[in-house]
Amino acid sequence: MKILISVDMEGISGIVHPTETNPDGYDYTRGRALMTAETNAVIAGVLDAEPTAEVRVADAHGPFRNLLPEELDRRAHLVRGKPRPLGMLGGLDEQTDAVLLVGYHARAGGGPAVLAHTMNDGILDVRVAGRSMGEIGLNTAMAGHLDVPVVLLSGDDSACAELLDLVPSAVTVAVKQALGQSAAVALHPEEARERLRQAAAEAITRRAHVSPLALAGSLDVEVDLSAPFMVDLATLVPGVSRGEGGRTVTFTAVDFADAYRLVLLLAQLATIKPG
């Protein structure tokens, strides 16, 4: 069995502020340790259920270099660094049996939710076939495109609800209840890890009951960007056109993998400064 664990940072228990998730922040060192510890709890749960599973862990936050390699459970393989194929799902392939999303956050505009955003501050919304999708939706649908189910998600209560809206049979662990963008009522880290280990084992055990999220055929995609100059850059990409208003671009993807790759590119373009 082959399992991928994709780990973001904003949805880790105890984390509520960018200073805890940004490499330049004063509390980033603590954030990295909390992220690594929750990842180890999920690895342990997966291997409790399937001791011979091959486990890959994709560091999926910011620079993709946050998890502490020397502190990670040695039974797992770490996918680290960027850019890389499939971004937050680095290491995913058609032989993967299940994906677990750990430490994820709600989409931009969702909430109340802790540190909600989509990819980065340059993207205000992504709509695929008219449906708003953040990182949870985009990554779940990308896994589904390869016929791989997302069986577990951890994060705040808004993030959990976002996955359950897409995959009702998935297992979720709300490690904190959001009070706002930078406030929450959080479980003690040790309690969060205990729940995550149990939930990961449960999710792997019942993975056959979780269907992949499959969006078939060509797809119309709209992306709202935070500044008009980002639209100017985005429309230099073949196939990308201006939408209604001054901040929206549109394109038609041949399939979801095509849509996913182009959204990743637009997110990168959105980090470029004008001038």
Side-chain angles (χ1 to χ4, degrees):
M1 178 177 295
K2 190 172 182 180
I3 304 297
L4 177 69
I5 304 171
S6 173
V7 191
D8 207 347
M9 202 170 190
E10 290 87 352
I12 298 297
S13 181
I15 288 180
V16 297
H17 195 274
T19 58
E20 299 166 320
T21 65
N22 188 322
D24 296 326
Y26 72 88
D27 225 3
Y28 172 67
T29 299
R30 176 183 290 170
R32 298 180 77 187
L34 291 170
M35 180 187 186
T36 305
E38 286 200 6
T39 303
N40 282 338
V42 175
I43 295 169
V46 169
L47 294 173
D48 286 344
E50 291 288 345
T52 62
E54 176 188 343
V55 180
R56 291 184 179 181
V57 174
D59 191 324
H61 173 73
F64 294 176
R65 291 180 288 107
N66 310 278
L67 290 167
L68 300 168
E70 68 276 16
E71 299 295 334
L72 196 69
D73 190 316
R74 65 186 296 169
R75 297 172 294 177
H77 299 276
L78 177 59
V79 183
R80 192 170 191 260
K82 69 189 310 184
R84 66 190 186 207
L86 298 183
M88 296 177 77
L89 295 176
L92 177 71
D93 58 29
E94 293 175 338
Q95 285 71 52
T96 304
D97 293 287
V99 171
L100 295 82
L101 306 179
V102 176
Y104 268 61
H105 54 82
R107 62 181 176 81
V114 177
L115 299 173
H117 65 278
T118 298
M119 301 295 187
N120 57 49
D121 292 338
I123 293 184
L124 301 177
D125 194 19
V126 177
R127 294 178 297 281
V128 180
R131 182 169 198 163
S132 180
M133 285 189 166
E135 293 164 37
I136 292 170
L138 292 168
N139 288 321
T140 300
M142 184 62 238
H145 180 74
L146 297 180
D147 200 33
V148 181
V150 170
V151 299
L152 176 139
L153 178 137
S154 71
D156 70 11
D157 52 324
S158 291
C160 292
E162 201 167 304
L163 179 67
L164 291 175
D165 185 52
L166 299 167
V167 187
S169 53
V171 176
T172 60
V173 181
V175 299
K176 53 194 170 190
Q177 303 294 315
L179 299 176
Q181 181 72 6
S182 296
V185 179
L187 295 177
H188 188 282
E190 291 181 1
E191 175 67 20
R193 292 166 205 160
E194 289 179 6
R195 295 189 188 188
L196 284 166
R197 182 169 184 167
Q198 293 171 1
E202 177 189 353
I204 294 302
T205 299
R206 60 185 302 274
R207 67 191 180 280
H209 301 288
V210 182
S211 298
L213 176 65
L215 302 179
S218 63
L219 298 162
D220 292 329
V221 182
E222 300 171 287
V223 180
D224 295 339
L225 300 168
S226 64
F229 81 88
M230 295 177 183
V231 174
D232 297 337
L233 285 175
T235 53
L236 298 176
V237 178
V240 177
S241 304
R242 293 179 185 272
E244 295 184 5
R247 296 191 176 190
T248 302
V249 296
T250 67
F251 63 91
T252 299
V254 297
D255 57 22
F256 193 84
D258 186 40
Y260 187 86
R261 285 191 294 266
L262 195 40
V263 169
L264 292 184
L265 177 59
L266 293 177
Q268 191 62 40
L269 292 177
T271 66
I272 297 175
K273 304 296 183 183

